[in-house]
Amino acid sequence: GQQVMQIPQYQHVQEGEDFTTYCNSSTTLSNIQWYKQRPGGHPVFLIQLVKSGEVKKQKRLTFQFGEAKKNSSLHITATQTTDVGTYFCAGPILSGTYKYIFGTGTRLKVLA
Amino acid sequence: ETGVTQTPRHLVMGMTNKKSLKCEQHLGHNAMYWYKQSAKKPLELMFVYNFKEQTENNSVPSRFSPECPNSSHLFLHLHTLQPEDSALYLCASSQELGLATGELFFGEGSRLTVL
């Protein structure tokens, strides 16, 4: 079946360092979304990418969608303690259903 | 406040109990979802409803029974669960139809413990 993998599974960084998580799908995605889940919280939508090769920025966060629409990345510049949480990518399969496949997630810990 | 409310927030039940989780969305969305999140697995899609009609059952055991009486409410009826069913159950909704290009709005989840 379709799988969406993320690496790394865990990442500890010192505050101020950069962080990147990578998302890889076994199938082509029509679009990809990114979510953040704070410890003890629920996933919150960050952004959606639709076009092949698309790059979007939100302040210190940069999101990319691969040319083949099978991979994506999230890069955080100069991490802050507020960036702590688990970052998930998610994409709908092309079956015409409303089925979002979530990645395995990357848990980020920022050390002050 | 996400616009998606789940109750109860915490639930402890025995394996022979019957309980229900409730989800209500105030966003005017047409699609609603149940996801399971356990410690060792990513978010697992369980069920999808669109305009009250079930469009997806992701091979979920029959001890989980969903119900969607209208586009704003979603229930998950639980009976004869197993300890491995202990997890955070997340409800979500989205606006878009078709190929689902809308973002998901999640509730805060119901933390279920099965003894």
Side-chain angles (χ1 to χ4, degrees), chain B residues 11-20 78-81 112-115:
Chain B
L11 178 62
V12 180
M13 59 187 289
M15 289 190 286
T16 59
N17 292 158
K18 290 185 179 181
K19 298 286 184 182
S20 295
L78 316 169
H79 61 97
T80 60
L81 294 191
L112 173 66
T113 302
V114 181
L115 302 177

Side-chain angles (χ1 to χ4, degrees), chain A residues 5-41:
Chain A
M5 303 299 294
Q6 281 182 253
I7 55 170
Q9 188 176 2
Y10 301 97
Q11 183 82 60
H12 293 179
V13 299
Q14 289 288 335
E15 188 174 20
E17 292 182 339
D18 292 355
F19 159 77
T20 303
T21 173
Y22 299 91
C23 175
N24 294 287
S25 170
S26 58
T27 60
T28 302
L29 300 170
S30 59
N31 62 80
I32 196 159
Q33 299 176 347
W34 285 91
Y35 292 80
K36 176 184 178 181
Q37 185 173 19
R38 294 181 184 276

Side-chain angles (χ1 to χ4, degrees), chain B residues 3-8 20-26 31-34 67-76 89-93 105-110:
Chain B
V4 180
T5 304
Q6 288 187 244
T7 55
S20 295
L21 306 181
K22 178 183 176 182
C23 176
E24 182 175 2
Q25 58 97 358
H26 309 277
M32 296 188 77
Y33 312 72
W34 279 116
E67 178 189 1
C68 189
N70 54 62
S71 292
S72 298
H73 294 85
L74 185 64
F75 295 89
L76 187 62
Y89 289 85
L90 290 159
C91 173
S93 69
F105 290 79
F106 284 88
E108 297 188 12
S110 293

Side-chain angles (χ1 to χ4, degrees), chain A residues 30-31 33 35 37 41-45 48 88 92-104 107, chain B residues 2 33 35 37 42-43 45 48 50 55-56 58 88 90 96-104 106-108:
Chain A
S30 59
N31 62 80
Q33 299 176 347
Y35 292 80
Q37 185 173 19
H42 58 278
V44 175
F45 175 82
Q48 176 171 285
F88 294 97
I93 62 174
L94 299 175
S95 69
T97 72
Y98 309 100
K99 187 172 181 176
Y100 284 91
I101 301 296
F102 275 76
T104 46
R107 185 177 297 178
Chain B
T2 68
Y33 312 72
Y35 281 88
Q37 187 174 40
L43 285 156
L45 179 66
V48 182
N50 184 48
T55 63
E56 189 79 27
N58 202 26
L88 180 67
L90 290 159
E96 296 286 339
L97 306 179
L99 290 179
T101 55
E103 67 181 270
L104 294 175
F106 284 88
E108 297 188 12

